[in-house]
Amino acid sequence: MQLQYMYTRLNVENFKACKDFYQNVLGLTTKFEDDMDEYVEFDTGSVLITLFNREKLTDFVTRDDNLSYNPHSARVVLSFKVTDMEAATRHLRTHNIEILNPPTNYPDRGIVSTCFRDPDGNLIEFEEIVDVMVT
């Protein structure tokens, strides 16, 4: 069996706010959109991120399981590489996005990282690649 990773789907509660966030705040390009089913695909350059209205998830999940979502979960983190962390965080602040932690340098990993959440509470990380410090 050979697998190829296609996309990450976020089953969101507030579809319109999340769609606006990924289009207008993060600036992702829409690849496919179905407003009737409230589904959208965003092109990140390598892997798709898709949004789906979680109320419509019952059409696809045929079990009787109760689907619950913790809005402060960190089980999945969408990580994006940025070339200028200062400019990226300034951009987020102009859109009133709360930065959860200040940009933090991890010299052993060669990154500067910061996190924030989308309108549904999904955790997003920006990483800027910097020189690795060897001790």
Side-chain angles (χ1 to χ4, degrees), residues 52 54-62 67:
F52 185 64
R54 95 171 52 144
E55 287 181 5
K56 298 179 184 241
L57 190 59
T58 56
D59 295 342
F60 298 95
V61 179
T62 57
L67 300 172

Side-chain angles (χ1 to χ4, degrees), residues 13-86:
E13 185 173 15
N14 192 336
F15 178 79
K16 289 182 182 180
C18 287
K19 178 181 160 187
D20 180 68
F21 175 84
Y22 286 92
Q23 280 179 328
N24 299 316
V25 176
L26 294 188
L28 298 180
T29 303
T30 302
K31 182 174 179 173
F32 174 80
E33 187 171 358
D34 181 348
D35 281 332
M36 188 172 87
D37 282 336
E38 295 186 293
Y39 175 84
V40 64
E41 295 177 349
F42 295 106
D43 189 354
T44 69
S46 56
V47 174
L48 296 175
I49 294 174
T50 69
L51 304 179
F52 185 64
N53 183 336
R54 95 171 52 144
E55 287 181 5
K56 298 179 184 241
L57 190 59
T58 56
D59 295 342
F60 298 95
V61 179
T62 57
R63 301 174 298 179
D64 290 332
D65 294 344
N66 180 15
L67 300 172
S68 63
Y69 298 85
N70 178 344
H72 300 290
S73 174
R75 287 184 175 189
V76 174
V77 179
L78 300 178
S79 294
F80 293 92
K81 182 170 84 171
V82 298
T83 56
D84 183 342
M85 182 64 73
E86 186 176 320

